[in-house]
């Protein structure tokens, strides 16, 4: 799959974010472009203007690591953006083929039984498994209760956190800071698109969200990528109310491309009490549903 458009838009968007002052260059007058000119980036990267123009047209195939590093340095890319640029270059020349997860539909993917055992062993936190498209593939009991609104309102399987984020009005109530959560969701999808550009289901998801959500389309066009491995989020759950939860995202070695995420609360905090209440409520609900 040709990723030249993705490369072009990413490099152009990063160039537009760097001001001459940030790059240590005189601002001058009559600037026709936001941020730096191509010629300025080329000079900072120590390559010819013609060569950099070729890169910005999307031609990353065969570019040496030294040149990629020079361009990353000139554009002042952070670690996540550098990794994204590397993934784009690898995809352009096809060197990511062996490292790329095997294409398997979420509806066909069968997880190890032991992975569900691991999830079920986690009783004080909401634990769940997603792929790079944010399909919700497996959960423990507390996570099923935590995401109860998603399960009840979305009939497609598996449920998808990005669809819920941008297409379900309930997401604006569930995420106390919806804007921040939306930014993070698009960051994850954009990073996955660079790492795995041949994922048809991901392309279909992005196309659907771009068509149906202005908020998604605007964020997708910004080409932002950020690493999200841990942090704190605020939620308003329909059963137990406000929750402030920390989260850790862990890559699953036995299942490349999948991530185990666990939401927990600070011990002794009101959120911990509410999370325990939700766990008790979930146990009661599931016990009731299994009675003859």
């Amino acid at each position: 799959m040709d990723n030249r458009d993705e490369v072009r838009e990413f490099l152009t968007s990063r160039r537009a974010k760097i001001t001459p002052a940030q790059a240590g260059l005189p601002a001058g007058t009559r600037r026709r472009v936001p941020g730096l000119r191509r010629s300025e980036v080329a000079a900072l990267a120590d390559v010819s203007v013609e060569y950099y123009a070729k890169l910005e047209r999307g031609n990353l195939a065969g570019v040496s690591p030294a040149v990629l590093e020079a361009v990353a340095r000139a554009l002042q890319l952070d670690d996540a953006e550098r990794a994204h640029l590397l993934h784009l270059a690898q995809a352009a020349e096809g060197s990511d083929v062996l490292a790329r997860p095997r294409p398997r539909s979420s509806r066909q993917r069968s997880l190890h039984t032991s992975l569900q055992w691991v999830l079920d062993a986690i009783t004080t936190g909401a634990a769940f498994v997603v792929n790079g498209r944010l399909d919700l593939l497996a959960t423990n009991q507390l996570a099923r209760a935590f995401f109860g609104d998603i399960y009840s309102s979305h009939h497609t399987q598996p449920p998808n956190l990005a669809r819920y984020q941008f297409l379900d009005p309930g997401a604006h109530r569930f995420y106390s800071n919806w804007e921040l959560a939306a930014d993070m969701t698009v960051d994850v999808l954009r990073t996955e698109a660079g790492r795995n550009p041949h994922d048809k289901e991901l392309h279909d998801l992005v196309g659907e969200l771009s068509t149906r959500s202005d908020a998604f389309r605007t964020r997708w066009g910004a080409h932002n990528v950020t690493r999200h491995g841990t942090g704190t989020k605020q939620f308003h759950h329909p059963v137990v109310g406000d929750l402030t939860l920390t989260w850790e995202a862990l890559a699953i070695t036995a299942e490349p491309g999948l991530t185990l995420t666990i939401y927990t609360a600070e011990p002794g905090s009101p959120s911990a009490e509410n999370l325990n209440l939700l766990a008790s409520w979930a146990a009661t609900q599931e016990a009731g549903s299994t009675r003859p």
Side-chain angles (χ1 to χ4, degrees), residues 7 62 224:
V7 173
N224 291 329

Side-chain angles (χ1 to χ4, degrees), residues 8 38 42 47-59:
R8 182 180 66 251
R38 282 182 176 178
V47 298
S48 70
V49 178
E50 293 77 12
Y51 188 77
Y52 180 73
K54 171 189 170 185
L55 301 184
E56 206 171 90
R57 286 195 296 270
N59 298 310

Side-chain angles (χ1 to χ4, degrees), residues 70 75 84 126 135 149 189 227 240 248 281-282:
L75 294 175
H84 187 61
D135 291 323
D149 192 30
L189 294 183
R227 282 182 177 168
V240 297
E248 295 286 340
W281 178 86

Side-chain angles (χ1 to χ4, degrees), residues 3-18 34-38 41 45 47 51-61 63 67-77 81-82 84-86 88-89 92 190 221-225:
N3 72 341
R4 282 180 293 182
D5 288 345
E6 173 77 12
V7 173
R8 182 180 66 251
E9 292 169 8
F10 178 67
L11 290 177
T12 302
S13 67
R14 297 312 92 176
R15 176 164 61 86
K17 292 180 65 175
I18 305 298
L36 299 179
R37 300 185 178 99
R38 282 182 176 178
V41 176
V47 298
Y51 188 77
Y52 180 73
K54 171 189 170 185
L55 301 184
E56 206 171 90
R57 286 195 296 270
N59 298 310
L60 286 186
V63 178
V67 170
L68 290 175
E69 173 59 27
V71 170
R73 188 168 56 250
L75 294 175
Q76 300 183 19
L77 303 186
E81 292 169 328
R82 285 169 181 261
H84 187 61
L85 180 61
L86 177 60
L88 292 175
R190 175 60 77 181
H223 285 263
N224 291 329
V225 289

Side-chain angles (χ1 to χ4, degrees), residues 33 148 212:
V33 296
R212 300 177 62 187

Side-chain angles (χ1 to χ4, degrees), residues 261-280:
T261 300
I262 307 172
Y263 283 126
T264 56
E266 180 182 355
S269 67
S271 291
E273 294 178 6
N274 287 344
L275 199 60
N276 289 335
L277 179 61
L278 181 60
S280 299

Side-chain angles (χ1 to χ4, degrees), residues 36-165:
L36 299 179
R37 300 185 178 99
R38 282 182 176 178
S39 59
E40 291 169 331
V41 176
L44 291 169
D46 196 24
V47 298
S48 70
V49 178
E50 293 77 12
Y51 188 77
Y52 180 73
K54 171 189 170 185
L55 301 184
E56 206 171 90
R57 286 195 296 270
N59 298 310
L60 286 186
V63 178
S64 70
V67 170
L68 290 175
E69 173 59 27
V71 170
R73 188 168 56 250
L75 294 175
Q76 300 183 19
L77 303 186
D78 61 23
D79 289 345
E81 292 169 328
R82 285 169 181 261
H84 187 61
L85 180 61
L86 177 60
H87 290 144
L88 292 175
Q90 290 173 333
E93 62 178 324
S95 61
D96 66 331
V97 172
L98 292 178
R100 193 186 307 148
R102 289 174 296 169
R104 286 189 284 175
S105 167
S106 298
R107 289 172 287 277
Q108 299 171 343
R109 188 161 198 163
S110 178
L111 302 181
H112 295 291
T113 303
S114 58
L115 179 56
Q116 186 62 56
W117 296 345
V118 170
L119 293 173
D120 292 338
I122 301 171
T123 57
T124 59
F128 57 97
V129 174
V130 295
N131 56 21
R133 297 183 295 273
L134 296 179
D135 291 323
L136 199 56
L137 301 180
T139 60
N140 67 354
Q141 185 182 73
L142 183 51
R144 286 192 294 275
F146 181 73
F147 290 122
D149 192 30
I150 300 176
Y151 278 103
S152 63
S153 61
H154 289 256
H155 302 294
T156 58
Q157 293 299 323
N160 182 272
L161 296 179
R163 281 195 183 93
Y164 175 73
Q165 177 82 57

